[in-house]
Amino acid sequence: MKVAVTGKGGVGKTTFASVLCRLYAQEGFHVLAADVDPDANLGLALGLSEEEVEGIVPISKMRELVEERTGADKTNKFFKMNPYVSDIPDKFSKEINGVKLLVMGTIETGGGGCVCPEHAMLKAVMNTLAFRKDDVVIMDMEAGLEHLGRGTASMMDQFVVVIEPGARSIQTYGNVKRLAADLGVRKVGVVANKVRDEKDEEFIRSRIPAEDLLGFIHYNSEVIDADRAGGSPFDYSMSTVEEIRKIKEKMDAKE
């Protein structure tokens, strides 16, 4: 199973991605979680301490590794667009609660579409993750799909957009579905988070096609408690875990 979890900031996609990872790990799967969000905090949600998270160097920041694999340095402006990276997920991931975490990082440049060694490196690693046949791969992404090329996107089993009851979240869902279609992907599911009551559920159902809606995660203060404590929501909120388990079962059925 290869899943890309996306959505605008603050909707709870990292909460969903982390619990999904731990549910698969609980079932005995080899799970690799890729943090592809510039605001990387998947490690905390999986159960790492703040000190452990701060000690992780993202792949995009490993300058020596990038230079070694791409052949680029201060004197050489030419570099490999498809560097060897197959060993990176296992070599540079950190294991916690049965999940291997790989922090990808981002490219901090003025032009979002730049072609640089770091960008080539991240693209190559993303491709490698998509082709890992024996692993469950969960990618916690930002709202866009810029990290995914057409080939990588076509290898993903599910795109999941996490939204909350609000017009801006619905707009994000529409944008992601359009971008996914441009990449040749038709399977885009929606998880509605922070749902408070039946009115919120009715709002979501009125805006999201029934075939796309995977389920609801209701507002739960225990998830906030977990975040405040720097802990994993999996260890704090049984009700949230059970709601995500039902969503997972629906995702597995669509596989």
Side-chain angles (χ1 to χ4, degrees), residues 142-190:
E142 54 187 323
L145 300 177
E146 289 78 8
H147 284 292
L148 293 177
R150 185 174 298 274
T152 310
S154 66
M155 293 298 295
M156 303 304 291
D157 297 304
Q158 304 256 357
F159 281 79
V160 177
V161 187
V162 179
I163 66 171
E164 57 189 4
R168 284 174 292 184
S169 265
I170 301 297
Q171 184 180 46
T172 298
Y173 151 73
N175 291 337
V176 170
K177 188 162 186 176
R178 184 166 55 253
L179 286 169
D182 289 344
L183 293 170
V185 176
R186 295 290 182 267
K187 193 181 293 185
V188 178
V190 176

Side-chain angles (χ1 to χ4, degrees), residues 85-149:
V85 296
S86 296
D87 62 330
I88 285 178
D90 292 316
K91 192 173 183 179
F92 294 97
S93 60
K94 189 173 184 65
E95 187 163 351
I96 177 69
N97 290 317
V99 178
K100 288 185 174 181
L101 170 67
L102 186 67
V103 179
M104 302 287 284
T106 188
I107 309 300
E108 296 176 359
T109 60
C114 76
V115 178
C116 56
E118 293 84 358
H119 182 78
M121 187 83 164
L122 291 188
K123 283 280 190 182
V125 175
M126 294 285 283
N127 286 335
T128 292
L129 294 178
F131 281 89
R132 289 175 71 97
K133 294 181 180 180
D134 299 327
D135 293 347
V136 170
V137 177
I138 311 294
M139 298 182 184
D140 182 11
M141 309 187 71
E142 54 187 323
L145 300 177
E146 289 78 8
H147 284 292
L148 293 177

Side-chain angles (χ1 to χ4, degrees), residues 6-26:
T6 185
K8 75 180 187 68
V11 295
K13 59 185 173 55
T14 297
T15 293
F16 173 73
S18 67
V19 173
L20 191 64
C21 285
R22 293 193 58 180
L23 284 171
Y24 276 113
Q26 193 178 61

Side-chain angles (χ1 to χ4, degrees), residues 18-116:
S18 67
V19 173
L20 191 64
C21 285
R22 293 193 58 180
L23 284 171
Y24 276 113
Q26 193 178 61
E27 293 181 4
F29 288 94
H30 293 96
V31 182
L32 201 152
D35 198 338
V36 197
D37 193 329
D39 184 20
N41 50 33
L42 182 57
L44 284 173
L46 286 170
L48 290 176
S49 68
E50 292 184 49
E51 292 75 16
E52 288 173 313
V53 170
E54 290 172 0
I56 297 175
V57 179
I59 299 299
S60 65
K61 299 294 185 183
M62 295 181 179
R63 187 168 302 278
E64 290 185 5
L65 179 66
V66 172
E67 290 181 357
E68 173 197 328
R69 298 301 175 91
T70 64
D73 55 35
K74 293 180 180 179
T75 60
N76 179 22
K77 299 303 179 183
F78 297 97
F79 56 89
K80 299 174 185 176
M81 293 297 295
N82 295 296
Y84 174 72
V85 296
S86 296
D87 62 330
I88 285 178
D90 292 316
K91 192 173 183 179
F92 294 97
S93 60
K94 189 173 184 65
E95 187 163 351
I96 177 69
N97 290 317
V99 178
K100 288 185 174 181
L101 170 67
L102 186 67
V103 179
M104 302 287 284
T106 188
I107 309 300
E108 296 176 359
T109 60
C114 76
V115 178
C116 56

